[in-house]
Amino acid sequence: MAATTGAPSAAAPDSQGPASAGKSMDNPTIQYSMILEHLIGDKKPVKDLNPAVMGGLPVPPKSDEQKMIERGMESCAFKSTLACIGGFVLGGAFGIFTAGIDTNVGFDPKDPLRTPTAREVLKDMGQRGMSYAKNFAIVGAMFSCTECIIESHRGKSDWKNAVYSGCVTGGAIGFRAGLKAGVLGCGGFAAFSAAIEYYLR
């Protein structure tokens, strides 16, 4: 009797052995998936990237005046004004440079044999520089304003903004001479803007 009662009791753990082994094999899988969720999943904790915590210099919070200045500098009006001033300076310098290398500066078409005075040469150089400065300022302001408006409307900052802005600016300038000139101006400015963006990016 002792032998017969001991056999079933000895067989019982053997029959439960595979089930318990299966459970023990499932537990590591569950734990591994939980670890992955905490490391790279949705349960990953968000770390505080404060420079003071990371060992860097603490950054003080921005005041309302600083935020207002940043919003003003990012506005289309400020960008257009800055481009207008930059275009005026660049155009004036370019106009004076081209007038300096032009041999016909200061000459009177009615009397080409007369040698112009220094005052006449400087006056002609100033007029040409002012003309170039005005044109560059207008083009710069139009281009910057349209690019800012298009970028705000699209919500993206890529090369397409410059191409669209160049087309609008060139078309508006060339349209004064007719429809054909407007189309050519649009295509020319768009191609030039695309080339500049490709070179800069």
Side-chain angles (χ1 to χ4, degrees), residues 143 165 169 185:
F143 183 85
S165 178
T169 304

Side-chain angles (χ1 to χ4, degrees), residues 21-125:
K23 292 181 180 179
S24 62
M25 289 297 292
D26 292 339
N27 289 335
T29 306
I30 296 174
Q31 293 176 0
Y32 184 70
S33 62
M34 292 175 61
I35 292 173
L36 285 180
E37 288 182 0
H38 284 281
L39 290 178
I40 59 175
D42 297 335
K43 295 182 180 180
K44 179 181 178 181
V46 180
K47 295 182 179 180
D48 187 9
L49 298 179
N50 190 357
V53 178
M54 300 174 63
L57 296 176
V59 179
K62 296 181 181 179
S63 61
D64 296 336
E65 289 79 8
Q66 291 177 338
K67 294 180 180 179
M68 183 178 63
I69 293 174
E70 288 183 356
R71 287 195 298 267
M73 294 180 66
E74 293 176 357
S75 63
C76 295
F78 179 80
K79 292 180 180 180
S80 300
T81 304
L82 189 63
C84 180
I85 296 173
F88 186 86
V89 174
L90 181 63
F94 185 73
I96 293 174
F97 174 75
T98 55
I101 61 177
D102 190 1
T103 58
N104 295 324
V105 174
F107 282 92
D108 189 3
K110 297 180 181 179
D111 190 7
L113 298 179
R114 187 179 65 85
T115 302
T117 61
R119 184 176 181 179
E120 293 174 347
V121 173
L122 292 176
K123 182 179 179 181
D124 197 359
M125 291 177 64

Side-chain angles (χ1 to χ4, degrees), residues 96-179:
I96 293 174
F97 174 75
T98 55
I101 61 177
D102 190 1
T103 58
N104 295 324
V105 174
F107 282 92
D108 189 3
K110 297 180 181 179
D111 190 7
L113 298 179
R114 187 179 65 85
T115 302
T117 61
R119 184 176 181 179
E120 293 174 347
V121 173
L122 292 176
K123 182 179 179 181
D124 197 359
M125 291 177 64
Q127 290 177 353
R128 182 176 296 187
M130 184 60 65
S131 176
Y132 275 70
K134 291 180 180 179
N135 292 332
F136 274 64
I138 293 173
V139 172
M142 289 179 61
F143 183 85
S144 180
C145 183
T146 53
E147 184 180 14
C148 182
I149 293 174
I150 292 173
E151 181 178 350
S152 301
H153 179 72
R154 294 182 68 236
K156 297 180 181 179
S157 179
D158 53 9
W159 60 274
K160 293 182 180 180
N161 297 330
V163 174
Y164 296 154
S165 178
C167 181
V168 173
T169 304
I173 294 175
F175 190 72
R176 295 180 299 176
L179 181 60

